[in-house]
Amino acid sequence: MKPIILLHNPRCSKSREALALLEAAGAEVQVRRYLDEPLNGEELRALVSRLEGDISQLVRSSETEWKTLGADSHNVDQVIDAIVAHPRIMQRPIADDGQRAVIGRPPENIQSLLDA
């Protein structure tokens, strides 16, 4: 099984559930606390290329920072620039095996990486 990087916020219940799911499955997990160690633009572009689903799902659109930007959630460049400037608007958790990335909302979405 490939190591899975979990973009994690330990204060988030969904993120904690995703970590528990991965650990219970015996997955090799590398936790990255993305608020303490934010992704740069290059890392975000690479992540987006592996991400399943629409780019708009990567944004926590209810966050004040996002709302004040007036950015287009379907514009990759605007989403990446917004997340680089305000890491907390990135949806969490995200599991990434290096070939595919999945937003863990609900945490069970991450199971698809384990089944691959």
Side-chain angles (χ1 to χ4, degrees):
M1 188 178 291
K2 303 175 249 188
I4 294 175
I5 296 170
L6 184 67
L7 299 175
H8 178 62
N9 178 349
R11 295 181 60 205
C12 170
S13 64
K14 299 297 182 198
S15 197
R16 292 190 307 270
E17 287 176 37
L19 179 58
L21 185 148
L22 290 167
E23 289 174 338
E28 181 183 338
V29 183
Q30 297 173 350
V31 173
R32 180 170 177 177
R33 292 179 160 194
Y34 69 92
L35 293 176
D36 297 333
E37 187 185 342
L39 283 74
N40 63 37
E42 184 177 316
E43 290 172 312
L44 277 167
R45 284 197 185 285
L47 177 67
V48 166
S49 73
R50 295 186 298 275
L51 191 64
E52 295 181 352
D54 188 83
I55 184 72
S56 65
Q57 296 173 344
L58 189 57
V59 176
R60 296 176 57 83
S61 58
S62 63
E63 296 291 341
T64 303
E65 292 93 337
W66 176 254
K67 289 178 181 178
T68 60
L69 288 172
D72 178 358
S73 65
H74 297 284
N75 181 303
V76 173
D77 293 328
Q78 289 182 24
V79 168
I80 288 172
D81 290 346
I83 293 172
V84 167
H86 306 281
R88 92 183 198 111
I89 68 172
M90 185 173 76
Q91 190 58 267
R92 60 184 181 258
I94 298 174
D96 182 358
D97 71 3
Q99 293 184 354
R100 291 178 41 234
V102 178
I103 296 173
R105 286 207 172 253
E108 293 77 25
N109 288 351
I110 291 172
Q111 188 66 42
S112 68
L113 291 181
L114 299 171
D115 295 340

